[in-house]
Amino acid sequence: MLLDLTTMARSILASSSIAALATMSNPNPLAPQQEINLAIAGMSCASCVGRVEKTLAKVAGVSQVSVNLASEKATIIATATVPAATLIAAVERAGYAAQELIANDDTAPLASSLPSGRPVALAALLTIPLLLPMLLAPLGNRWQLPGIWQLLLATPVQFWLGARFYAASWRALKARSGTMDLLVALGTSAAYGLSLYQLLRQQQHASTHAQPHFYFEAAATVITLVLLGKWLEARAKRQTADAIGALRALRPERALVRRDGIERELALAAIQRGDLVLVRPGERVAVDGVVREGHSQLDESLLTGESLPVPKQPGDQVTGGAINGAGLLLVETRAIGAETVLARIIRMVEHAQAAKAPIQRLVDQVSTIFVPVVLVLAALTLLGWGLIGGDWQAATLNAVAVLVISCPCALGLATPTAIMAGTGVAARYGILIKDATALETAHRIRMIAFDKTGTLTVGKPVLLACHAIGDEHFLLSLAAALQANSEHPLAHAVLDAARQRGIDIVNASDSKAVPGYGTQARIQGRQTYLGSARWMQQLGLAQTPYAALASIAAQCEQQGQSISWLAQDSTDGSQGIRLLGLLTFGDTIKPGATEAIARLHEMHIHTLMLSGDNSGAVRHVATQVGIEDYRANVLPADKAQVIAALRADKHIVAMVGDGINDAPALAAADVGIAMSNGTDVAMQAAGITLMRGDPALVAAAIDISRRTYGKIRQNLFWALIYNIIGIPLAAFGLLNPMIAGAAMALSSVSVVSNALLLKRWQPMHGEKP
C-alpha cells in the first residue's frame, strides 16, 4: 500500500495548505495556487517574523504567509503567476536576505548555518579586562583601568563585533519597524555614549584627581552576552531539525542496478521505474518497489517506528530507506525521487514544522506592538529618573537595562521550537503530523471514533474454525482443493490455513465459480460444493445433518462471522447431496488493540466504534476490545454526520480510519487520524498519519500532542516572566544592564533547551525506534 502514495506525494502539501485559504484575502480564489518556500536570513526575534509576514502579504497574488523563526523559513501560498524572485525582492526590501528552497533538494539547508564562535570568543577576550575591576571589587581591590584603555577595549566590541546590531537596526528603521537588534543597539550605544561623555569631561578637567565611573564594561558585556546567547540559540535550534536530517540520511546516494543482465552502480537520479535494483545485505533500500527475487528481513524502524525486522519475500513491497538484513534482494523500482514514501514523509514533517500553530498567532499580535511599548517604557524610565531624581547617569543606565531585558527573542522561539521538536520525535516513531493545528488540537481530544475493519481489526479474513461431520483434515483438504484457483479473500484464508496445518491439497477438476452462491468442482470422482446455506438447500441437502450444525452456524453469524457449507454428491447413487461440515471465517483483532483502547480510557478519553458491518460483527469486536459505545450499519456519509453531531455537543472529536469510506468522517473530525495501511484519500483527509497500523499509536499521538502543548505553555510562561519581572526591576533601578543582558540571553537559550527535552519522549508502551 505504501507505494500507492506516489500519486499524492507531490500534492500533499499544497492540498493541505490551500484548504486554509478560505479565511485569507485572495482576489481570485479560483486561480491556480502554488506553494513557495524561502529561507530567510537575518531574523532575530518575533518582531522580525511579523515584519517579513507583512511584507510578503502585501505582494499581489499572495494569499497566505507563514514565517517560522526557529527554522528561518517562510511558506507562501500564492497564485501561479507570482515568481519567487518577486517574493525574494520584497524580503530584501524589508532588510533581510532570502533564497528559494526547492522541494526535495537535499542540498538545501535544514536551518540557518551555525555562526562561527570566533566573534564570541574575541568579544569575551576584549570584555574580560573591563570586567576584572568589578570582579575584584568585593575583595577590596579598587584598581580600575584608565578610561582611555577602557575606550580602546570597548570600541571594537561596540562597533566591529556589534556591527550586526547597527546594520539590522538601520534596516528596521527604514522599514519603520522595531526589533531586538534595535533595542540592543540603542541600549549599548547609550551606555557607551555616556561613558565617552564622562571620559571627555575627565580629559577637559585633568586637574581633578577623581576618576568618574565609566560604563564601557556594561555596553561590551551586553553585546558579548547577546552574541553568546545567539550562538548557543543557533546550536540548539539546529538540533530541532535533527528529525529531517535523520530522514534525509536514510536515502543512499547510489544503487546497484541490473539492466539487460549487466550490473552497474548508478546515482539515484539515473534510476527509472521498472529498473531492477540489487540490495545487498546491510545496505539501505534505494527505491520504493516490489521484491522479485530473494528472501530477507528489513529494518524499517526509522520509517515506521517498528522495532522488529519485517520479513520480505517475492511479491512484497519495500520502502526506500529501510536497511536490508542478511539476504540478497532484487527489487523492481516502482517509485523514485519525490514520489517515494521517504520523500513524502520528509515533506510532511517539514510542512508541520513550518506551519504556525493557532496559539502562535496571538503571540505574533503581541510581538507587533512589543518593541514600540518597550521604547516608550525606556523613555519614561529615562525621563522619570532624570527629571524627578536629577541623576541622569542612573537614568541612562536604568533605561539601558529596560531596553536590554525586553528583547522578544524568547517569545518568538517559544512555540516553533516546541512544534519542531514534537513533530520531529513523533516522526521517529511513525507518527506523521501534517500541520501544527492538528498537533495543538489533539491535546484537547476527549472522544475518539474508530472504524472497525482495518483499524481495530486486521482487515483480512481468516479461517476461524472447521466444524466437520467426520475428519476435519479431510474437510479442509477438500475446501482447499475447491479454492486452489480462486482469488477471493475467503479462498486465500482457506489456502493459508491448509498450508499452516501442513495439509496436502487433493486435485480438483472442472472447477467453476457459481456467482452469488459458491464454488464447485469434481474431486475424487464426486461433485463437491462449497458455498452458502441457500445454495445447499437448492441442491437438496439432507436436513438432518444440516440441523445438527444449524445452531453453531447461528451463533457464529451473531458474532459477524461468514459461513461456508461444504457438501458432496451422495455415495449411494441418490440425487441428493450429503453435508461434510462448515467453515467459519472472520476478521481478527489487531494485536494490541485491546491494550490501546484501555490506555485511551486511562487518559479519560471516551471511545466509540462506527462501522458499516452488521450489528453482530460490530458488537463482537467492540466487546473484545473494550468499547461500550458502538454503532453498526453506518454508511460513509452517516459517519460524517455522527462526527458533526458529536462536535455540535461541544466535544473535541478525533476519527481513526483507513478506507475511502472513512475520508468524510476524517475530514469532519477536529483531528483525523489515518492508518498508513489504508488509502491515499483517507491519508489526505487526516491531520495525523500513523505509518504502521498499530492502534497503540493513537494514544501515543495524543500523548506527544499533550507534551508538546505543555512545552509551548512552559516556554511562553518563561518568555513572558522574564519581561514581566525584569522590566519593572530595570525601570526602578534594581537591575544592572549586564545582568539584564545575561537574563535576556538566558531566556532564549532556556526556551529552546526546554523544547529540546521533547526529544527524549517515547511512546507509552516503551518501544524504541
Side-chain angles (χ1 to χ4, degrees):
M1 176 272 151
L2 289 176
L3 294 174
D4 294 336
L5 299 174
T6 57
T7 57
M8 64 173 282
R10 292 185 180 274
S11 63
I12 183 76
L13 295 185
S15 62
S16 60
S17 297
I18 293 171
L21 295 181
T23 59
M24 307 303 294
S25 56
N26 187 354
N28 185 6
L30 298 180
Q33 301 287 313
Q34 64 172 330
E35 180 176 300
I36 300 175
N37 294 289
L38 301 179
I40 310 294
M43 295 190 300
S44 58
C45 64
S47 296
C48 297
V49 171
R51 180 145 59 100
V52 174
E53 287 186 340
K54 287 182 179 179
T55 300
L56 289 170
K58 292 178 181 178
V59 177
V62 171
S63 55
Q64 182 178 352
V65 179
S66 178
V67 178
N68 189 312
L69 178 61
S71 62
E72 297 187 343
K73 288 174 60 176
T75 301
I76 304 102
I77 302 298
T79 58
T81 57
V82 177
T86 301
L87 301 173
I88 292 173
V91 173
E92 291 175 346
R93 285 195 301 272
Y96 301 92
Q99 71 178 70
E100 185 179 6
L101 295 175
I102 306 301
N104 304 301
D105 181 5
D106 292 341
T107 64
L110 296 177
S112 60
S113 58
L114 183 63
S116 171
R118 291 180 182 176
V120 179
L122 186 55
L125 289 174
L126 294 172
T127 303
I128 287 174
L130 296 172
L131 284 174
L132 277 177
M134 185 182 69
L135 297 175
L136 295 175
L139 302 178
N141 192 323
R142 301 301 176 186
W143 170 77
Q144 189 173 359
L145 275 174
I148 191 66
W149 282 101
Q150 294 188 43
L151 175 66
L152 293 175
L153 289 170
T155 299
V157 177
Q158 185 72 37
F159 298 107
W160 176 38
L161 300 172
R164 51 165 287 182
F165 301 111
Y166 288 100
S169 298
W170 175 243
R171 292 193 296 267
L173 289 173
K174 287 196 299 183
R176 299 179 182 179
S177 173
T179 65
M180 177 212 80
D181 298 305
L182 179 61
L183 299 180
V184 172
L186 286 175
T188 58
S189 296
Y192 181 90
L194 177 61
S195 301
L196 183 60
Y197 171 75
Q198 295 280 55
L199 179 61
L200 293 175
R201 285 191 60 191
Q202 181 191 34
Q203 298 299 322
Q204 292 175 0
H205 303 84
S207 59
T208 60
H209 295 285
Q211 181 170 324
H213 186 78
F214 301 114
Y215 303 99
F216 288 117
E217 82 283 355
T221 301
V222 167
I223 288 178
T224 301
L225 288 172
V226 173
L227 290 174
L228 175 62
K230 299 302 289 183
W231 184 75
L232 293 173
E233 176 189 310
R235 285 179 58 91
K237 284 196 299 184
R238 283 173 62 88
Q239 295 183 46
T240 63
D242 283 353
I244 299 295
L247 288 171
R248 284 184 174 170
L250 297 181
R251 184 183 296 154
E253 296 180 357
R254 305 180 69 83
L256 187 62
V257 179
R258 179 186 294 173
R259 287 180 181 171
D260 301 324
I262 301 175
E263 296 178 2
R264 66 190 72 180
E265 194 172 80
L266 299 176
L268 283 189
I271 300 176
Q272 302 174 358
R273 286 193 191 91
D275 278 344
L276 296 176
V277 177
L278 282 157
V279 186
R280 291 169 291 201
E283 288 185 339
R284 289 195 181 275
V285 180
V287 297
D288 290 1
V290 177
V291 177
R292 292 305 178 206
E293 296 178 9
H295 294 75
S296 187
Q297 292 184 326
L298 296 187
D299 179 359
E300 299 177 342
S301 58
L302 280 177
L303 285 169
T304 66
E306 177 60 63
S307 60
L308 298 176
V310 181
K312 298 294 179 182
Q313 60 185 359
D316 289 343
Q317 297 173 341
V318 297
T319 305
I323 302 176
N324 188 22
L328 178 68
L329 295 178
L330 183 66
V331 177
E332 180 183 340
T333 303
R334 292 288 181 86
I336 55 176
E339 299 176 340
T340 62
V341 171
L342 180 57
R344 177 184 172 276
I345 291 173
I346 291 173
R347 284 200 300 277
M348 288 186 70
V349 176
E350 285 180 330
H351 187 265
Q353 293 186 343
K356 187 164 292 186
I359 194 173
Q360 179 64 26
R361 305 192 185 281
L362 176 62
V363 174
D364 291 344
Q365 293 174 1
V366 173
S367 300
T368 57
I369 62 171
F370 189 83
V371 173
V373 169
V374 169
L375 292 175
V376 171
L377 291 176
L380 292 175
T381 301
L382 177 68
L383 295 175
W385 279 86
L387 295 177
I388 298 175
D391 188 350
W392 288 98
Q393 290 190 36
T396 302
L397 288 178
N398 294 337
V400 169
V402 170
L403 291 172
V404 173
I405 192 65
S406 304
C407 292
C409 310
L411 198 62
L413 292 168
T415 300
T417 51
I419 288 175
M420 290 181 70
T423 54
V425 72
R428 290 178 54 208
Y429 290 94
I431 303 169
L432 298 185
I433 300 170
K434 187 185 295 184
D435 54 55
T437 301
L439 179 67
E440 185 176 325
T441 305
H443 84 278
R444 296 187 291 127
I445 291 173
R446 290 296 177 268
M447 177 175 290
I448 298 181
F450 286 89
D451 173 52
K452 179 180 74 70
T453 306
T455 302
L456 293 174
T457 66
V458 175
K460 178 182 177 182
V462 295
L463 180 65
L464 298 179
C466 295
H467 299 278
I469 302 175
D471 186 7
E472 182 178 312
H473 279 66
F474 178 66
L475 177 73
L476 186 54
S477 175
L478 292 179
L482 282 164
Q483 303 282 30
N485 299 315
S486 174
E487 293 298 324
H488 193 280
L490 295 184
H492 289 294
V494 170
L495 294 172
D496 288 343
R499 281 192 290 265
Q500 290 173 4
R501 301 185 189 185
I503 295 176
D504 294 329
I505 301 176
V506 298
N507 293 324
S509 60
D510 300 328
S511 178
K512 69 175 182 177
V514 182
Y517 290 97
T519 303
Q520 67 181 37
R522 183 166 294 278
I523 302 175
Q524 297 176 344
R526 288 196 293 271
Q527 198 70 17
T528 308
Y529 311 89
L530 179 66
S532 65
R534 184 177 59 175
W535 192 28
M536 297 295 120
Q537 292 174 0
Q538 292 180 3
L539 292 171
L541 180 69
Q543 294 299 310
T544 303
Y546 174 82
L549 294 177
S551 61
I552 296 177
Q555 183 179 0
C556 292
E557 287 176 343
Q558 288 180 355
Q559 296 178 356
Q561 298 174 13
S562 299
I563 309 297
S564 289
W565 301 82
L566 194 146
Q568 273 188 330
D569 285 343
S570 300
T571 57
D572 58 3
S574 66
Q575 297 298 316
I577 63 172
R578 64 187 183 94
L579 181 68
L580 299 181
L582 62 85
L583 291 79
T584 63
F585 301 88
D587 205 352
T588 56
I589 304 297
K590 280 187 176 180
T594 303
E595 292 77 5
I597 298 301
R599 177 57 186 159
L600 289 172
H601 292 167
E602 291 174 2
M603 298 169 70
H604 306 290
I605 296 174
H606 180 73
T607 55
L608 166 71
M609 185 188 296
L610 302 176
S611 177
D613 281 356
N614 62 74
S615 58
V618 175
R619 180 175 59 252
H620 178 68
V621 172
T623 302
Q624 283 190 296
V625 300
I627 295 179
E628 297 180 358
D629 189 358
Y630 57 88
R631 304 180 193 185
N633 301 308
V634 182
L635 298 175
D638 295 336
K639 288 185 180 181
Q641 292 177 2
V642 171
I643 297 297
L646 293 173
R647 293 184 65 192
D649 290 337
K650 308 302 181 183
H651 294 294
I652 303 298
V653 183
M655 173 68 193
V656 185
D658 71 323
I660 293 177
N661 62 329
D662 297 321
L666 290 169
D670 293 287
V671 179
I673 304 176
M675 300 285 190
S676 69
N677 57 301
T679 65
D680 295 352
V681 175
M683 295 175 68
Q684 276 188 295
I688 299 175
T689 297
L690 308 180
M691 287 307 294
R692 64 182 191 276
D694 184 358
L697 289 182
V698 176
I702 296 174
D703 184 56
I704 188 59
S705 171
R706 291 181 177 181
R707 292 177 185 270
T708 301
Y709 194 73
K711 289 298 180 185
I712 291 174
R713 287 185 295 184
Q714 292 171 17
N715 284 351
L716 289 175
F717 170 79
W718 286 113
L720 291 171
I721 203 69
Y722 276 107
N723 292 321
I724 292 173
I725 296 176
I727 290 176
L729 290 177
F732 287 104
L734 301 176
L735 196 64
N736 184 286
M738 290 182 290
I739 298 176
M744 185 273 291
L746 179 63
S747 67
S748 297
V749 175
S750 62
V751 161
V752 179
S753 300
N754 186 48
L756 287 174
L757 293 176
L758 285 169
K759 296 178 66 176
R760 299 160 56 183
W761 176 85
Q762 292 183 3
M764 286 164 286
H765 47 71
E767 182 178 304
K768 296 184 179 181

